[in-house]
Short mmCIF file of all heavy atoms in Angstrom, two decimals:
data_model
loop_
_atom_site.label_atom_id
_atom_site.label_comp_id
_atom_site.label_asym_id
_atom_site.label_seq_id
_atom_site.Cartn_x
_atom_site.Cartn_y
_atom_site.Cartn_z
N MET A 1 -4.70 -22.04 19.78
CA MET A 1 -3.69 -21.85 18.73
C MET A 1 -4.24 -20.82 17.72
O MET A 1 -5.37 -20.92 17.29
CB MET A 1 -3.41 -23.18 18.00
CG MET A 1 -2.24 -23.01 17.10
SD MET A 1 -1.36 -24.61 16.70
CE MET A 1 -0.84 -25.26 18.24
N ALA A 2 -3.47 -19.80 17.37
CA ALA A 2 -3.87 -18.75 16.51
C ALA A 2 -3.47 -19.07 15.06
O ALA A 2 -2.42 -19.68 14.80
CB ALA A 2 -3.17 -17.46 16.94
N GLU A 3 -4.26 -18.67 14.13
CA GLU A 3 -3.93 -18.73 12.73
C GLU A 3 -3.43 -17.36 12.29
O GLU A 3 -4.15 -16.42 12.44
CB GLU A 3 -5.10 -19.20 11.86
CG GLU A 3 -4.71 -19.47 10.45
CD GLU A 3 -5.82 -20.08 9.65
OE1 GLU A 3 -6.51 -21.01 10.20
OE2 GLU A 3 -5.99 -19.69 8.52
N VAL A 4 -2.21 -17.30 11.76
CA VAL A 4 -1.61 -16.05 11.38
C VAL A 4 -1.09 -16.13 9.97
O VAL A 4 -0.94 -17.23 9.39
CB VAL A 4 -0.37 -15.67 12.31
CG1 VAL A 4 -0.89 -15.50 13.71
CG2 VAL A 4 0.71 -16.73 12.26
N THR A 5 -0.87 -14.97 9.34
CA THR A 5 -0.23 -14.86 8.00
C THR A 5 1.24 -14.60 8.25
O THR A 5 1.58 -13.68 8.96
CB THR A 5 -0.88 -13.73 7.20
OG1 THR A 5 -2.25 -14.03 7.01
CG2 THR A 5 -0.20 -13.61 5.82
N VAL A 6 2.09 -15.39 7.61
CA VAL A 6 3.55 -15.21 7.70
C VAL A 6 3.97 -14.64 6.32
O VAL A 6 3.72 -15.28 5.27
CB VAL A 6 4.25 -16.53 8.02
CG1 VAL A 6 5.82 -16.25 8.07
CG2 VAL A 6 3.78 -17.13 9.34
N ARG A 7 4.57 -13.50 6.37
CA ARG A 7 5.07 -12.84 5.12
C ARG A 7 6.62 -12.96 5.15
O ARG A 7 7.25 -12.64 6.15
CB ARG A 7 4.69 -11.39 5.04
CG ARG A 7 3.26 -11.20 4.73
CD ARG A 7 2.91 -9.82 4.36
NE ARG A 7 1.55 -9.63 4.23
CZ ARG A 7 0.83 -8.58 4.61
NH1 ARG A 7 1.44 -7.57 5.16
NH2 ARG A 7 -0.46 -8.57 4.41
N TYR A 8 7.09 -13.35 3.98
CA TYR A 8 8.59 -13.48 3.83
C TYR A 8 9.09 -12.36 2.96
O TYR A 8 8.51 -12.07 1.90
CB TYR A 8 8.89 -14.83 3.25
CG TYR A 8 8.39 -15.98 4.00
CD1 TYR A 8 7.30 -16.68 3.66
CD2 TYR A 8 9.06 -16.40 5.22
CE1 TYR A 8 6.82 -17.80 4.34
CE2 TYR A 8 8.59 -17.48 5.94
CZ TYR A 8 7.48 -18.19 5.52
OH TYR A 8 7.03 -19.22 6.25
N TRP A 9 10.16 -11.71 3.33
CA TRP A 9 10.77 -10.62 2.56
C TRP A 9 12.17 -11.02 2.04
O TRP A 9 12.90 -11.72 2.75
CB TRP A 9 10.86 -9.33 3.38
CG TRP A 9 9.47 -8.90 3.84
CD1 TRP A 9 8.87 -9.12 5.02
CD2 TRP A 9 8.59 -8.12 3.02
NE1 TRP A 9 7.61 -8.50 4.97
CE2 TRP A 9 7.44 -7.91 3.75
CE3 TRP A 9 8.65 -7.57 1.73
CZ2 TRP A 9 6.34 -7.21 3.30
CZ3 TRP A 9 7.60 -6.86 1.25
CH2 TRP A 9 6.43 -6.68 2.01
N ALA A 10 12.50 -10.55 0.87
CA ALA A 10 13.87 -10.70 0.27
C ALA A 10 14.30 -12.16 0.35
O ALA A 10 13.73 -13.06 -0.19
CB ALA A 10 14.80 -9.71 0.91
N GLY A 11 15.50 -12.36 0.99
CA GLY A 11 16.08 -13.75 1.06
C GLY A 11 15.23 -14.72 1.78
O GLY A 11 15.28 -15.89 1.48
N ALA A 12 14.36 -14.22 2.67
CA ALA A 12 13.44 -15.19 3.36
C ALA A 12 12.43 -15.70 2.36
O ALA A 12 12.07 -16.89 2.36
CB ALA A 12 12.76 -14.49 4.53
N ARG A 13 11.97 -14.80 1.47
CA ARG A 13 11.00 -15.25 0.38
C ARG A 13 11.66 -16.31 -0.48
O ARG A 13 11.10 -17.28 -0.81
CB ARG A 13 10.59 -14.00 -0.38
CG ARG A 13 9.60 -14.37 -1.49
CD ARG A 13 9.10 -13.18 -2.27
NE ARG A 13 10.24 -12.30 -2.68
CZ ARG A 13 10.36 -11.02 -2.37
NH1 ARG A 13 9.47 -10.41 -1.60
NH2 ARG A 13 11.39 -10.33 -2.75
N ASP A 14 12.89 -16.05 -0.81
CA ASP A 14 13.65 -17.06 -1.72
C ASP A 14 13.78 -18.36 -0.99
O ASP A 14 13.58 -19.39 -1.60
CB ASP A 14 15.01 -16.50 -2.09
CG ASP A 14 14.94 -15.25 -2.99
OD1 ASP A 14 13.87 -15.05 -3.57
OD2 ASP A 14 15.93 -14.52 -3.01
N ALA A 15 14.18 -18.33 0.28
CA ALA A 15 14.36 -19.57 1.06
C ALA A 15 13.06 -20.28 1.32
O ALA A 15 13.05 -21.50 1.29
CB ALA A 15 15.05 -19.24 2.40
N ALA A 16 11.95 -19.61 1.52
CA ALA A 16 10.64 -20.23 1.74
C ALA A 16 9.99 -20.66 0.43
O ALA A 16 9.14 -21.56 0.46
CB ALA A 16 9.75 -19.23 2.49
N GLY A 17 10.40 -20.07 -0.66
CA GLY A 17 9.81 -20.34 -1.93
C GLY A 17 8.40 -19.85 -2.10
O GLY A 17 7.63 -20.32 -2.97
N ARG A 18 8.08 -18.76 -1.35
CA ARG A 18 6.76 -18.20 -1.47
C ARG A 18 6.78 -16.84 -0.77
O ARG A 18 7.69 -16.51 -0.03
CB ARG A 18 5.73 -19.09 -0.83
CG ARG A 18 5.93 -19.23 0.69
CD ARG A 18 4.97 -20.14 1.30
NE ARG A 18 5.21 -21.50 0.92
CZ ARG A 18 4.41 -22.51 1.10
NH1 ARG A 18 3.24 -22.39 1.68
NH2 ARG A 18 4.67 -23.75 0.77
N ASP A 19 5.77 -15.99 -1.09
CA ASP A 19 5.71 -14.71 -0.49
C ASP A 19 5.12 -14.74 0.90
O ASP A 19 5.48 -13.98 1.76
CB ASP A 19 4.74 -13.80 -1.34
CG ASP A 19 5.35 -13.42 -2.73
OD1 ASP A 19 6.61 -13.42 -2.88
OD2 ASP A 19 4.60 -13.23 -3.63
N ASP A 20 4.15 -15.63 1.07
CA ASP A 20 3.40 -15.68 2.38
C ASP A 20 2.73 -17.06 2.54
O ASP A 20 2.61 -17.77 1.53
CB ASP A 20 2.45 -14.49 2.58
CG ASP A 20 1.39 -14.40 1.53
OD1 ASP A 20 0.72 -15.43 1.26
OD2 ASP A 20 1.19 -13.39 0.95
N GLU A 21 2.22 -17.31 3.68
CA GLU A 21 1.48 -18.52 3.97
C GLU A 21 0.73 -18.29 5.30
O GLU A 21 1.05 -17.48 6.14
CB GLU A 21 2.37 -19.72 4.00
CG GLU A 21 3.36 -19.78 5.14
CD GLU A 21 4.20 -21.03 5.06
OE1 GLU A 21 3.68 -22.18 5.04
OE2 GLU A 21 5.51 -20.88 5.09
N ARG A 22 -0.31 -19.11 5.50
CA ARG A 22 -1.09 -19.13 6.72
C ARG A 22 -0.59 -20.27 7.56
O ARG A 22 -0.47 -21.43 7.07
CB ARG A 22 -2.62 -19.29 6.39
CG ARG A 22 -3.19 -18.22 5.60
CD ARG A 22 -3.59 -16.95 6.30
NE ARG A 22 -4.60 -17.19 7.24
CZ ARG A 22 -4.82 -16.31 8.18
NH1 ARG A 22 -4.26 -15.22 8.31
NH2 ARG A 22 -5.82 -16.59 9.10
N LEU A 23 -0.30 -20.06 8.85
CA LEU A 23 0.16 -21.10 9.74
C LEU A 23 -0.57 -20.88 11.07
O LEU A 23 -0.97 -19.81 11.46
CB LEU A 23 1.71 -20.96 9.91
CG LEU A 23 2.55 -21.27 8.74
CD1 LEU A 23 4.01 -20.97 9.07
CD2 LEU A 23 2.41 -22.72 8.34
N ALA A 24 -0.56 -21.98 11.85
CA ALA A 24 -1.09 -21.93 13.21
C ALA A 24 0.04 -22.09 14.21
O ALA A 24 0.92 -22.93 14.04
CB ALA A 24 -2.11 -23.07 13.43
N ALA A 25 0.01 -21.20 15.28
CA ALA A 25 1.03 -21.29 16.29
C ALA A 25 0.49 -20.55 17.50
O ALA A 25 -0.36 -19.70 17.43
CB ALA A 25 2.33 -20.57 15.78
N THR A 26 1.01 -20.88 18.66
CA THR A 26 0.66 -20.27 19.93
C THR A 26 1.40 -18.99 20.22
O THR A 26 0.91 -18.08 20.86
CB THR A 26 0.77 -21.18 21.11
OG1 THR A 26 2.14 -21.68 21.14
CG2 THR A 26 -0.14 -22.43 20.94
N SER A 27 2.70 -18.96 19.77
CA SER A 27 3.57 -17.80 20.05
C SER A 27 4.57 -17.58 18.93
O SER A 27 4.73 -18.46 18.09
CB SER A 27 4.27 -18.06 21.36
OG SER A 27 5.24 -19.14 21.18
N VAL A 28 5.22 -16.49 18.98
CA VAL A 28 6.24 -16.17 17.97
C VAL A 28 7.37 -17.23 18.06
O VAL A 28 7.80 -17.74 17.04
CB VAL A 28 6.85 -14.76 18.21
CG1 VAL A 28 8.06 -14.55 17.35
CG2 VAL A 28 5.83 -13.70 17.92
N GLN A 29 7.82 -17.61 19.24
CA GLN A 29 8.85 -18.53 19.41
C GLN A 29 8.46 -19.95 18.83
O GLN A 29 9.25 -20.65 18.18
CB GLN A 29 9.32 -18.68 20.83
CG GLN A 29 10.10 -17.52 21.32
CD GLN A 29 11.30 -17.15 20.52
OE1 GLN A 29 12.03 -18.02 20.08
NE2 GLN A 29 11.53 -15.91 20.25
N ALA A 30 7.19 -20.35 19.07
CA ALA A 30 6.72 -21.59 18.55
C ALA A 30 6.70 -21.55 17.00
O ALA A 30 7.03 -22.53 16.32
CB ALA A 30 5.32 -21.92 19.09
N LEU A 31 6.25 -20.44 16.44
CA LEU A 31 6.22 -20.28 14.98
C LEU A 31 7.61 -20.35 14.44
O LEU A 31 7.85 -21.10 13.44
CB LEU A 31 5.56 -18.98 14.61
CG LEU A 31 5.49 -18.63 13.15
CD1 LEU A 31 4.63 -19.61 12.42
CD2 LEU A 31 5.02 -17.18 13.02
N LEU A 32 8.60 -19.66 15.05
CA LEU A 32 9.99 -19.68 14.55
C LEU A 32 10.61 -21.07 14.65
O LEU A 32 11.27 -21.51 13.72
CB LEU A 32 10.84 -18.63 15.28
CG LEU A 32 10.37 -17.20 15.11
CD1 LEU A 32 11.29 -16.28 15.93
CD2 LEU A 32 10.35 -16.80 13.64
N ALA A 33 10.27 -21.79 15.70
CA ALA A 33 10.75 -23.16 15.81
C ALA A 33 10.15 -24.02 14.72
O ALA A 33 10.95 -24.83 14.12
CB ALA A 33 10.34 -23.72 17.18
N GLU A 34 8.97 -23.85 14.35
CA GLU A 34 8.32 -24.60 13.27
C GLU A 34 9.04 -24.27 11.92
O GLU A 34 9.38 -25.21 11.17
CB GLU A 34 6.89 -24.33 13.18
CG GLU A 34 6.20 -25.05 12.02
CD GLU A 34 4.72 -24.74 11.94
OE1 GLU A 34 4.08 -24.37 12.97
OE2 GLU A 34 4.17 -24.91 10.84
N LEU A 35 9.26 -23.01 11.70
CA LEU A 35 9.97 -22.62 10.44
C LEU A 35 11.41 -23.16 10.41
O LEU A 35 11.90 -23.64 9.35
CB LEU A 35 9.94 -21.12 10.29
CG LEU A 35 8.61 -20.44 10.16
CD1 LEU A 35 8.79 -18.93 10.11
CD2 LEU A 35 7.86 -20.95 8.94
N CYS A 36 12.13 -23.15 11.54
CA CYS A 36 13.49 -23.61 11.61
C CYS A 36 13.58 -25.09 11.49
O CYS A 36 14.62 -25.60 11.10
CB CYS A 36 14.13 -23.14 12.89
SG CYS A 36 14.54 -21.35 12.87
N ALA A 37 12.47 -25.83 11.74
CA ALA A 37 12.48 -27.31 11.63
C ALA A 37 12.31 -27.81 10.19
O ALA A 37 12.50 -28.93 9.95
CB ALA A 37 11.40 -27.88 12.54
N ARG A 38 11.97 -26.90 9.33
CA ARG A 38 11.76 -27.29 7.88
C ARG A 38 13.15 -27.58 7.21
O ARG A 38 14.13 -26.89 7.55
CB ARG A 38 11.04 -26.20 7.13
CG ARG A 38 9.66 -26.00 7.59
CD ARG A 38 9.03 -24.90 6.81
NE ARG A 38 7.61 -24.72 7.19
CZ ARG A 38 6.77 -23.80 6.67
NH1 ARG A 38 7.22 -22.97 5.77
NH2 ARG A 38 5.59 -23.72 7.11
N PRO A 39 13.08 -28.54 6.32
CA PRO A 39 14.34 -28.77 5.59
C PRO A 39 14.62 -27.61 4.65
O PRO A 39 13.71 -26.93 4.24
CB PRO A 39 14.09 -30.08 4.87
CG PRO A 39 12.57 -30.17 4.76
CD PRO A 39 12.03 -29.45 5.99
N GLY A 40 15.95 -27.48 4.32
CA GLY A 40 16.30 -26.40 3.41
C GLY A 40 16.87 -25.17 4.05
O GLY A 40 17.11 -25.17 5.26
N PRO A 41 17.02 -24.13 3.26
CA PRO A 41 17.78 -22.94 3.72
C PRO A 41 16.96 -22.00 4.65
O PRO A 41 17.52 -21.03 5.20
CB PRO A 41 18.14 -22.22 2.46
CG PRO A 41 17.06 -22.61 1.53
CD PRO A 41 16.76 -24.03 1.92
N LEU A 42 15.67 -22.22 4.81
CA LEU A 42 14.84 -21.27 5.57
C LEU A 42 15.31 -21.10 6.98
O LEU A 42 15.32 -19.96 7.57
CB LEU A 42 13.39 -21.65 5.55
CG LEU A 42 12.41 -20.65 6.21
CD1 LEU A 42 12.51 -19.30 5.53
CD2 LEU A 42 11.00 -21.21 6.09
N ALA A 43 15.72 -22.16 7.67
CA ALA A 43 16.13 -22.10 9.07
C ALA A 43 17.22 -21.08 9.32
O ALA A 43 17.14 -20.26 10.17
CB ALA A 43 16.54 -23.48 9.56
N GLU A 44 18.23 -21.12 8.47
CA GLU A 44 19.40 -20.17 8.65
C GLU A 44 18.95 -18.78 8.42
O GLU A 44 19.35 -17.79 9.12
CB GLU A 44 20.51 -20.54 7.72
CG GLU A 44 21.74 -19.66 7.86
CD GLU A 44 22.33 -19.72 9.28
OE1 GLU A 44 22.28 -20.78 9.91
OE2 GLU A 44 22.79 -18.68 9.78
N VAL A 45 18.09 -18.51 7.41
CA VAL A 45 17.63 -17.16 7.18
C VAL A 45 16.72 -16.64 8.35
O VAL A 45 16.91 -15.53 8.81
CB VAL A 45 16.81 -17.15 5.86
CG1 VAL A 45 16.15 -15.78 5.66
CG2 VAL A 45 17.69 -17.51 4.71
N VAL A 46 15.85 -17.52 8.86
CA VAL A 46 15.01 -17.16 10.02
C VAL A 46 15.80 -16.80 11.20
O VAL A 46 15.59 -15.82 11.90
CB VAL A 46 14.02 -18.27 10.31
CG1 VAL A 46 13.36 -18.01 11.67
CG2 VAL A 46 12.96 -18.40 9.18
N ARG A 47 16.90 -17.57 11.49
CA ARG A 47 17.74 -17.28 12.67
C ARG A 47 18.41 -15.92 12.63
O ARG A 47 18.70 -15.29 13.64
CB ARG A 47 18.82 -18.33 12.77
CG ARG A 47 18.32 -19.68 13.33
CD ARG A 47 19.44 -20.65 13.58
NE ARG A 47 18.89 -21.97 13.66
CZ ARG A 47 19.00 -22.88 12.68
NH1 ARG A 47 19.58 -22.63 11.53
NH2 ARG A 47 18.44 -24.10 12.83
N ARG A 48 18.69 -15.36 11.37
CA ARG A 48 19.32 -14.08 11.26
C ARG A 48 18.33 -12.92 11.02
O ARG A 48 18.79 -11.78 10.97
CB ARG A 48 20.26 -14.15 10.01
CG ARG A 48 21.47 -15.08 10.29
CD ARG A 48 22.44 -15.09 9.06
NE ARG A 48 21.81 -15.75 7.90
CZ ARG A 48 21.69 -15.16 6.72
NH1 ARG A 48 22.14 -13.95 6.49
NH2 ARG A 48 21.08 -15.76 5.74
N SER A 49 17.07 -13.21 10.93
CA SER A 49 16.05 -12.24 10.54
C SER A 49 15.46 -11.51 11.76
O SER A 49 15.46 -11.96 12.87
CB SER A 49 14.91 -12.91 9.77
OG SER A 49 15.44 -13.41 8.58
N SER A 50 14.96 -10.31 11.42
CA SER A 50 14.08 -9.62 12.40
C SER A 50 12.67 -10.15 12.18
O SER A 50 12.32 -10.54 11.11
CB SER A 50 14.06 -8.10 12.07
OG SER A 50 15.35 -7.56 12.26
N VAL A 51 11.89 -10.12 13.28
CA VAL A 51 10.53 -10.51 13.20
C VAL A 51 9.60 -9.42 13.65
O VAL A 51 9.86 -8.78 14.64
CB VAL A 51 10.31 -11.78 14.08
CG1 VAL A 51 8.86 -12.21 14.07
CG2 VAL A 51 11.20 -12.91 13.61
N LEU A 52 8.61 -9.16 12.77
CA LEU A 52 7.61 -8.13 13.14
C LEU A 52 6.25 -8.79 13.26
O LEU A 52 5.92 -9.71 12.52
CB LEU A 52 7.54 -7.06 12.03
CG LEU A 52 8.73 -6.13 11.91
CD1 LEU A 52 9.88 -6.82 11.17
CD2 LEU A 52 8.34 -4.91 11.13
N VAL A 53 5.46 -8.29 14.26
CA VAL A 53 4.07 -8.74 14.35
C VAL A 53 3.24 -7.51 14.25
O VAL A 53 3.35 -6.54 15.02
CB VAL A 53 3.83 -9.45 15.71
CG1 VAL A 53 2.39 -9.78 15.86
CG2 VAL A 53 4.67 -10.75 15.80
N ASP A 54 2.41 -7.57 13.22
CA ASP A 54 1.54 -6.36 12.89
C ASP A 54 2.36 -5.08 12.82
O ASP A 54 1.96 -4.06 13.31
CB ASP A 54 0.40 -6.22 13.89
CG ASP A 54 -0.66 -7.40 13.80
OD1 ASP A 54 -0.69 -8.02 12.74
OD2 ASP A 54 -1.38 -7.59 14.76
N GLY A 55 3.53 -5.16 12.20
CA GLY A 55 4.40 -4.03 11.95
C GLY A 55 5.28 -3.64 13.05
O GLY A 55 6.10 -2.66 12.90
N LEU A 56 5.24 -4.27 14.24
CA LEU A 56 6.09 -3.97 15.31
C LEU A 56 7.20 -5.02 15.55
O LEU A 56 6.86 -6.18 15.57
CB LEU A 56 5.24 -3.79 16.60
CG LEU A 56 4.16 -2.74 16.54
CD1 LEU A 56 3.32 -2.81 17.82
CD2 LEU A 56 4.77 -1.37 16.38
N VAL A 57 8.41 -4.56 15.75
CA VAL A 57 9.52 -5.49 15.99
C VAL A 57 9.29 -6.22 17.26
O VAL A 57 8.96 -5.65 18.22
CB VAL A 57 10.88 -4.72 15.99
CG1 VAL A 57 12.00 -5.64 16.35
CG2 VAL A 57 11.13 -4.02 14.67
N VAL A 58 9.53 -7.54 17.17
CA VAL A 58 9.35 -8.42 18.35
C VAL A 58 10.80 -8.87 18.77
O VAL A 58 11.53 -9.49 17.95
CB VAL A 58 8.50 -9.66 18.05
CG1 VAL A 58 8.43 -10.58 19.22
CG2 VAL A 58 7.15 -9.21 17.62
N ARG A 59 11.17 -8.61 19.96
CA ARG A 59 12.48 -8.98 20.48
C ARG A 59 12.35 -10.17 21.49
O ARG A 59 13.30 -10.89 21.69
CB ARG A 59 13.19 -7.85 21.11
CG ARG A 59 13.35 -6.69 20.16
CD ARG A 59 14.68 -5.96 20.43
NE ARG A 59 14.80 -4.75 19.58
CZ ARG A 59 15.09 -4.74 18.26
NH1 ARG A 59 15.37 -5.85 17.68
NH2 ARG A 59 15.20 -3.61 17.63
N ASP A 60 11.26 -10.32 22.11
CA ASP A 60 10.98 -11.43 23.07
C ASP A 60 9.80 -12.20 22.55
O ASP A 60 9.14 -11.86 21.52
CB ASP A 60 10.64 -10.82 24.48
CG ASP A 60 11.77 -10.06 25.01
OD1 ASP A 60 12.93 -10.59 25.01
OD2 ASP A 60 11.55 -8.94 25.49
N ASP A 61 9.46 -13.31 23.24
CA ASP A 61 8.34 -14.08 22.80
C ASP A 61 7.08 -13.35 23.00
O ASP A 61 6.97 -12.46 23.86
CB ASP A 61 8.32 -15.41 23.55
CG ASP A 61 7.52 -16.48 22.90
OD1 ASP A 61 7.12 -16.30 21.72
OD2 ASP A 61 7.21 -17.52 23.56
N LEU A 62 6.07 -13.64 22.13
CA LEU A 62 4.80 -12.95 22.20
C LEU A 62 3.75 -13.95 21.82
O LEU A 62 3.89 -14.69 20.90
CB LEU A 62 4.82 -11.80 21.18
CG LEU A 62 3.62 -10.96 21.02
CD1 LEU A 62 3.36 -10.08 22.28
CD2 LEU A 62 3.73 -10.08 19.77
N GLU A 63 2.63 -13.97 22.56
CA GLU A 63 1.51 -14.83 22.25
C GLU A 63 0.92 -14.27 20.94
O GLU A 63 0.77 -13.05 20.79
CB GLU A 63 0.46 -14.78 23.35
CG GLU A 63 -0.74 -15.63 23.12
CD GLU A 63 -1.73 -15.62 24.19
OE1 GLU A 63 -1.41 -15.14 25.32
OE2 GLU A 63 -2.88 -16.03 23.96
N LEU A 64 0.54 -15.19 20.05
CA LEU A 64 -0.08 -14.79 18.81
C LEU A 64 -1.57 -14.89 18.85
O LEU A 64 -2.13 -15.74 19.59
CB LEU A 64 0.45 -15.68 17.65
CG LEU A 64 1.95 -15.46 17.30
CD1 LEU A 64 2.39 -16.50 16.32
CD2 LEU A 64 2.15 -14.10 16.77
N LEU A 65 -2.24 -13.99 18.13
CA LEU A 65 -3.70 -13.99 18.10
C LEU A 65 -4.19 -14.25 16.67
O LEU A 65 -3.46 -13.82 15.70
CB LEU A 65 -4.24 -12.61 18.56
CG LEU A 65 -3.76 -12.18 20.00
CD1 LEU A 65 -4.18 -10.73 20.27
CD2 LEU A 65 -4.33 -13.12 21.03
N ASP A 66 -5.37 -14.78 16.53
CA ASP A 66 -5.90 -14.98 15.18
C ASP A 66 -5.85 -13.74 14.32
O ASP A 66 -6.17 -12.64 14.84
CB ASP A 66 -7.33 -15.51 15.26
CG ASP A 66 -7.45 -16.98 15.57
OD1 ASP A 66 -6.58 -17.73 15.16
OD2 ASP A 66 -8.49 -17.37 16.18
N GLY A 67 -5.42 -13.88 13.03
CA GLY A 67 -5.47 -12.77 12.11
C GLY A 67 -4.29 -11.88 12.11
O GLY A 67 -4.19 -10.97 11.26
N GLN A 68 -3.32 -12.09 13.05
CA GLN A 68 -2.13 -11.24 13.02
C GLN A 68 -1.26 -11.55 11.83
O GLN A 68 -1.32 -12.70 11.26
CB GLN A 68 -1.35 -11.42 14.32
CG GLN A 68 -2.02 -10.82 15.51
CD GLN A 68 -1.22 -10.84 16.79
OE1 GLN A 68 -0.81 -11.91 17.25
NE2 GLN A 68 -0.98 -9.67 17.34
N THR A 69 -0.34 -10.67 11.52
CA THR A 69 0.60 -10.85 10.42
C THR A 69 2.00 -10.84 11.05
O THR A 69 2.41 -9.89 11.79
CB THR A 69 0.52 -9.73 9.40
OG1 THR A 69 -0.78 -9.71 8.83
CG2 THR A 69 1.51 -9.87 8.30
N VAL A 70 2.74 -11.88 10.76
CA VAL A 70 4.13 -12.04 11.26
C VAL A 70 5.00 -11.88 9.99
O VAL A 70 4.84 -12.60 8.98
CB VAL A 70 4.36 -13.38 11.88
CG1 VAL A 70 5.76 -13.56 12.30
CG2 VAL A 70 3.41 -13.56 13.05
N GLU A 71 5.97 -11.00 10.03
CA GLU A 71 6.88 -10.76 8.94
C GLU A 71 8.27 -11.22 9.28
O GLU A 71 8.78 -10.89 10.39
CB GLU A 71 6.87 -9.29 8.55
CG GLU A 71 5.47 -8.84 8.11
CD GLU A 71 5.46 -7.37 7.84
OE1 GLU A 71 5.77 -7.02 6.67
OE2 GLU A 71 5.08 -6.65 8.74
N VAL A 72 8.88 -11.92 8.38
CA VAL A 72 10.26 -12.38 8.51
C VAL A 72 11.11 -11.53 7.60
O VAL A 72 11.02 -11.58 6.38
CB VAL A 72 10.41 -13.90 8.17
CG1 VAL A 72 11.85 -14.35 8.30
CG2 VAL A 72 9.45 -14.70 9.04
N LEU A 73 11.95 -10.69 8.21
CA LEU A 73 12.68 -9.70 7.50
C LEU A 73 14.19 -9.88 7.64
O LEU A 73 14.75 -9.52 8.70
CB LEU A 73 12.30 -8.27 8.02
CG LEU A 73 12.83 -7.07 7.33
CD1 LEU A 73 12.19 -6.99 5.94
CD2 LEU A 73 12.42 -5.82 8.10
N PRO A 74 14.87 -10.49 6.67
CA PRO A 74 16.28 -10.73 6.79
C PRO A 74 17.11 -9.41 6.68
O PRO A 74 16.58 -8.40 6.28
CB PRO A 74 16.66 -11.65 5.64
CG PRO A 74 15.52 -11.51 4.68
CD PRO A 74 14.31 -10.96 5.41
N PRO A 75 18.35 -9.42 7.20
CA PRO A 75 19.14 -8.28 7.11
C PRO A 75 19.41 -7.89 5.62
O PRO A 75 19.50 -8.76 4.79
CB PRO A 75 20.45 -8.68 7.77
CG PRO A 75 20.44 -10.10 8.01
CD PRO A 75 19.04 -10.58 7.81
N PHE A 76 19.45 -6.58 5.36
CA PHE A 76 19.70 -6.13 4.03
C PHE A 76 21.11 -5.53 3.95
O PHE A 76 21.62 -4.93 4.90
CB PHE A 76 18.70 -5.02 3.67
CG PHE A 76 17.29 -5.54 3.52
CD1 PHE A 76 16.42 -5.47 4.60
CD2 PHE A 76 16.87 -6.01 2.34
CE1 PHE A 76 15.13 -5.91 4.46
CE2 PHE A 76 15.57 -6.49 2.16
CZ PHE A 76 14.71 -6.43 3.25
N ALA A 77 21.71 -5.65 2.78
CA ALA A 77 22.97 -5.01 2.52
C ALA A 77 22.80 -3.81 1.62
O ALA A 77 21.85 -3.79 0.84
CB ALA A 77 23.93 -6.05 1.85
N GLY A 78 23.70 -2.91 1.65
CA GLY A 78 23.58 -1.75 0.77
C GLY A 78 22.77 -0.64 1.31
O GLY A 78 22.38 -0.64 2.45
N GLY A 79 22.42 0.33 0.51
CA GLY A 79 21.67 1.41 1.00
C GLY A 79 20.73 2.04 0.03
O GLY A 79 19.87 1.83 -0.54
#
C-alpha cells in the first residue's frame, strides 16, 4: 500500500474541508472509492472531478507509489 498526498482544488477543497491530506491506497480507483465512501458532499464532487497523478491526467486505474501526489480537480465554470 502506497502513502500519497491528496490535494483538493476549488469545490473539492470545500467538500473535503481541507487543502490536502496523506492517505494510503493501492491504486487510484481504491483511493477514489475510499473518498466516495466518506459521508458528506465529497463523494459527488469526486465523481465529477478529473484526477491527476504527479501532474498527469489519469483516465484508467493506476497503481500508486509512495510519495506520489494525487490531485482532485473539479470542473470549473467561466473563463
Side-chain angles (χ1 to χ4, degrees):
M1 189 157 303
E3 188 171 317
V4 299
T5 299
V6 180
R7 288 193 185 139
Y8 301 104
W9 297 97
R13 180 178 49 236
D14 295 339
R18 62 183 73 194
D19 293 331
D20 58 52
E21 63 182 309
R22 300 278 297 164
L23 293 173
T26 56
S27 69
V28 170
Q29 290 303 320
L31 177 65
L32 297 179
E34 179 180 334
L35 295 176
C36 287
R38 292 180 178 179
L42 184 58
E44 184 58 34
V45 174
V46 167
R47 284 187 199 102
R48 293 182 291 125
S49 295
S50 297
V51 176
L52 290 78
V53 174
D54 291 340
L56 300 174
V57 175
V58 175
R59 302 216 187 279
D60 297 311
D61 199 13
L62 178 71
E63 181 181 345
L64 292 171
L65 305 172
D66 280 329
Q68 288 186 302
T69 299
V70 178
E71 299 176 85
V72 180
L73 188 66
F76 291 94

